Amino acid sequence: MANATDHLWMHFTRMASYSAGEVPTIVRGEGAYVWDSQGRRYLDGLAGLFVVNAGHGRTELAEAAAKQAAELAYFPLWSYAHPTAVELAEKIAALAPGDLNRVFFTTGGSEAVEAAWKLARAYFKRTGKPNKHKVVSRYIAYHGTSMGALSITGLPGIKSDFEPLVPGGIKVPNTNFYRAPEHGDSAEAFGRWAAEEIGRAIEREGPDTVAAVFLEPVQNSGGCFPPPPGYFERVREICDAYDVLLVSDEVICSWGRLGEYFGAVRYGYQPDIITTAKGITSGYAPLGAMIASERLMEPFLTETGMFAHGVTFGGHPVSCAVALANLEVFAREDLIGHVRANEDAFRSTLEKLYDLPIVGDVRGDGYFYGIELVKDKTTRATFDEAESERLLRGFLSTALFQAGLYCRADDRGDPVVQLAPPLIAEQRQFDEIEQILRAVLTEAWSRL
C-alpha cells in the first residue's frame, strides 16, 4: 500500500528503506501461509513472530473473541475478577511445572519480564533481603524492550539510544556451542563452564545483591542456542545455593514451540518464575503472563499485602477467551505431539543444507531453528559488519521473501537465518523451506 509510510511507524524498521518502494502488506492467512495485497502467497516460516502456533485462519478463535466481546468486552483485574481470566489461570497453573500456580496476566512478553523483575525485587524486600535487586542474563539474549526488560536484554545495538537504563543488569556467556570460547570439544564440559560463569558472576557482584537469573530455554537472539547437557541442572543448583530466583523466559519457548507446553519441562528444570506470551493465544489477541511459585506469593498474602503492579489490559477478557479456545485446539489436535513426532524430520530436512559452503551450523529444537552463515566452514570465519549488511539486508531478506518464504535473516550476533513455522507444519512445508533456502543461499554465495 502506497500510504503505509505516511503515518504508520513500523517496529524495528529502517523507514527510509521504503522511501522508493511499497511496504509489503500482508492481508490474509490460512494454515502455514499468508498472502499479500498483490495476491502473492508466502510460507510463514516464522509463525508471524514466533506467535501463530496454531496456524492462520482459525475461525473458532475469532468466534471465541466475538462471543466474549459481546458478553463482556472489558473489565480490569484490579481487585476484581472475570470468568475467562479465572478459568485460564487455573488451566495454566495445571500445565505449568511444579508449584507455579500463581498467574499474573500482562499484555505481552516485555511486560511479563518487567513484572518478573519487579516481583523478584519486591519478594526479597519483604523477606528481609532488600539489597537483592540485580539480574543475571546472557550476552546477545533478547528479553524485551521496556526499560527494565531492555536492561536484562544483552544486545548493545538496541540499547544505546535509550541509555542510561535501569541499573543492575549483569551479563554472562550464552550457550552457543558452535562458537564456544571454552571446551569446544565437549558439550557437557562447555555447559558446565557456562553454568559456572553464572555462579562466578553472582560471586563477583555479591550474592546479597543478586535477585534473579533470566534465561530462555533456547536462546532466541543469536540464532537458537539450545542448552548443553546438564546446563540447567547446574544453574538450578547455583541459584539454590545463592538464594537467587531462576526465571525461565518462555515468551517464545512455551506453548509447543519446543514440543512441550513449557521449555522448562523439555529440559527438565524447575524455575521459580516463567514468563510467557506470544503462542498463548497463537496471536489472535495480545496476552502475556508471569507464572510464579507459591512461595513467591506468600509475602503478599498478609492482611495489607499487595504486589503494587498492574497493567490496564492485562488479562483482558477477550484475550483470555481466545487463549482458552487456543488451548482447546492444542488439546483436540494434539499439536504438542505433532511437534514431537515431526521435529526430527524438520531437523534432518534443514541439515540437508550442510552441503552448501555458506552454511556453518544448523541448531535448535522442536520447531525452532537457526542456520548460521559463514565465509569459511573449515575455520568458521564469520562475516564482518559491512559484509553482513550486504548479505542480510542487501540481499537475503528481500530474496527469501520474493521467493515465497517469510523468515528472519538476522545479525544480532553472527549472521543467521531463523525458522519457527506454525506447529501445524509438516514435511511438505519442511521441504518447501529447504528448497527456497537452498536456491537463495546458493545465489548469496555466488554474490560474495
Side-chain angles (χ1 to χ4, degrees):
M1 298 177 70
N3 63 349
T5 57
D6 293 345
H7 305 289
L8 180 63
W9 197 333
M10 290 174 285
H11 299 205
F12 282 107
T13 299
R14 296 181 180 183
M15 298 296 289
S17 64
Y18 293 113
S19 59
E22 286 192 16
V23 177
T25 304
I26 304 302
V27 299
R28 183 171 70 88
E30 184 67 34
Y33 297 90
V34 294
W35 283 260
D36 69 12
S37 55
Q38 306 302 312
R40 293 185 290 258
R41 190 189 79 165
Y42 306 88
L43 174 55
D44 185 357
L46 206 63
L49 195 62
F50 318 103
V51 172
V52 191
N53 288 8
H56 296 277
R58 294 278 189 174
T59 56
E60 64 263 54
L61 302 190
E63 290 165 358
K67 180 181 177 182
Q68 180 59 48
E71 186 173 296
L72 178 67
Y74 174 75
F75 209 78
L77 294 178
W78 300 44
S79 300
Y80 299 89
H82 56 74
T84 55
V86 173
E87 184 179 352
L88 181 59
E90 181 179 22
K91 188 172 290 289
I92 291 171
L95 294 171
D99 72 337
L100 271 64
N101 298 325
R102 301 293 184 162
V103 182
F104 184 96
F105 286 116
T106 66
T107 59
S110 291
E111 286 180 356
V113 169
E114 200 85 16
W117 193 1
K118 291 181 78 172
L119 176 60
R121 287 183 168 207
Y123 170 79
F124 282 117
K125 281 192 175 183
R126 288 170 178 265
T127 54
K129 297 182 179 181
N131 294 326
K132 290 175 81 71
H133 67 280
K134 299 175 185 176
V135 167
V136 177
S137 60
R138 297 184 289 206
Y139 290 119
I140 315 178
Y142 177 89
H143 292 283
T145 53
S146 56
M147 292 299 277
L150 194 57
S151 297
I152 301 172
T153 290
L155 291 162
I158 67 169
K159 299 167 73 161
S160 58
D161 277 352
F162 313 109
E163 293 172 331
L165 300 174
V166 178
I170 307 156
K171 301 300 175 284
V172 296
N174 57 49
T175 59
N176 183 1
F177 184 56
Y178 184 66
R179 298 199 175 276
E182 301 278 349
H183 306 291
D185 58 343
S186 168
E188 291 81 358
F190 170 65
R192 180 83 179 192
W193 171 83
E196 295 296 348
E197 283 295 297
I198 294 173
R200 283 187 275 271
I202 294 171
E203 282 285 353
R204 285 194 301 271
E205 296 295 324
D208 61 334
T209 70
V210 180
V213 173
F214 277 69
L215 302 173
E216 296 167 278
V218 172
Q219 182 175 317
N220 167 43
S221 188
C224 301
F225 306 146
Y231 174 77
F232 274 112
E233 180 182 4
R234 181 60 187 140
V235 171
R236 179 71 266 180
E237 292 172 352
I238 289 168
C239 288
D240 289 341
Y242 292 114
D243 193 19
V244 170
L245 303 182
L246 176 54
V247 182
S248 190
D249 184 356
E250 307 207 16
V251 170
I252 290 174
C253 291
S254 50
W255 311 115
R257 180 56 53 194
L258 298 176
E260 296 284 354
Y261 279 105
F262 294 98
V265 174
R266 164 125 196 185
Y267 299 117
Y269 65 95
Q270 179 60 53
D272 300 292
I273 299 173
I274 288 176
T275 54
T276 187
K278 294 189 184 287
I280 191 172
T281 64
S282 287
Y284 286 71
L287 186 66
M290 172 187 69
I291 315 166
S293 69
E294 289 286 358
R295 83 176 167 105
L296 298 183
M297 180 66 146
E298 287 174 6
F300 302 96
L301 294 176
T302 63
E303 187 174 341
T304 58
M306 177 181 66
F307 180 41
H309 179 56
V311 288
T312 300
F313 293 110
H316 192 284
V318 173
S319 296
C320 290
V322 170
L324 288 166
N326 183 52
L327 292 180
E328 288 177 7
V329 170
F330 269 67
R332 184 177 70 245
E333 299 184 11
D334 189 20
L335 293 185
I336 302 294
H338 181 78
V339 172
R340 287 199 297 263
N342 289 278
E343 64 176 341
D344 289 344
F346 187 32
R347 175 189 289 274
S348 63
T349 303
L350 294 179
E351 286 179 342
K352 292 179 182 179
L353 297 169
Y354 270 131
D355 66 353
L356 300 181
I358 198 172
V359 173
D361 194 27
V362 177
R363 55 182 178 251
D365 275 323
Y367 275 26
F368 190 32
Y369 275 85
I371 299 171
E372 184 170 333
L373 309 179
V374 294
K375 285 198 295 187
D376 189 306
K377 294 180 77 150
T378 302
T379 64
R380 302 186 181 182
T382 190
F383 298 90
D384 62 30
E385 187 174 342
E387 290 167 334
S388 287
E389 179 72 18
R390 291 195 302 271
L391 173 66
L392 297 178
R393 295 176 184 86
F395 176 69
L396 271 183
S397 293
T398 300
L400 287 167
F401 192 67
Q402 290 177 343
L405 176 62
Y406 167 71
C407 59
R408 171 182 274 178
D410 192 21
D411 61 351
R412 295 181 296 179
D414 297 299
V416 296
V417 174
Q418 278 190 287
L419 298 155
L423 307 188
I424 59 170
E426 50 195 10
Q427 190 62 52
R428 180 165 61 93
Q429 283 79 38
F430 304 158
D431 290 338
E432 189 175 347
I433 289 170
E434 189 271 339
Q435 290 159 12
I436 293 173
L437 284 172
R438 177 173 295 279
V440 174
L441 291 176
T442 298
E443 185 176 352
W445 182 256
S446 71
R447 289 167 171 256
L448 292 177

